[in-house]
Amino acid sequence: MDSLKEDLKKQIIEQLNLEDLTVADIADDALLFNDQGLGLDSIDALELIVLLEKYHGIQLTNPEEGKEAFKSIDTMAEYIRKRKAA
């Protein structure tokens, strides 16, 4: 398993207090803000912004970037890698 994606799942579970979930419960391509995925809401989106800065040193200031980055674990990992490479 991709260590960044595994770390992201652990961080999301911790940051959003999703104690009923495990890393294995979250698919890399599951939609984070969809009832078939994690079913996160706008408050959770703010927590994800905090998570990016706290764990990865990335400040998200463009809401459109956030919409794309927070689609799934896959897109979050891609966004982090792209920002850290820049």
Side-chain angles (χ1 to χ4, degrees):
M1 177 184 275
D2 183 321
S3 65
L4 175 57
K5 292 178 186 178
E6 186 173 342
D7 288 346
L8 276 171
K9 291 175 187 182
K10 289 176 186 173
Q11 293 160 2
I12 287 170
I13 289 168
E14 180 183 323
Q15 188 81 22
L16 303 180
N17 297 315
L18 303 174
E19 288 94 15
D20 56 328
L21 291 179
T22 67
V23 169
D25 293 331
I26 305 172
D28 291 348
D29 61 351
L31 296 175
L32 300 179
F33 294 89
N34 182 298
D35 290 337
Q36 282 72 43
L38 289 185
L40 302 183
D41 61 23
S42 59
I43 301 298
D44 296 323
L46 296 174
E47 290 289 333
L48 292 179
I49 291 169
V50 170
L51 181 153
L52 277 181
E53 187 165 1
K54 178 179 175 181
Y55 293 104
H56 304 282
I58 295 172
Q59 288 189 328
L60 180 69
T61 55
N62 181 338
E64 288 305 311
E65 275 185 20
K67 285 182 186 178
E68 289 301 312
F70 295 153
K71 283 186 179 178
S72 68
I73 296 295
D74 283 336
T75 59
M76 283 187 74
E78 181 183 329
Y79 179 77
I80 290 167
R81 286 188 178 113
K82 194 182 302 182
R83 288 288 303 267
K84 286 192 172 189

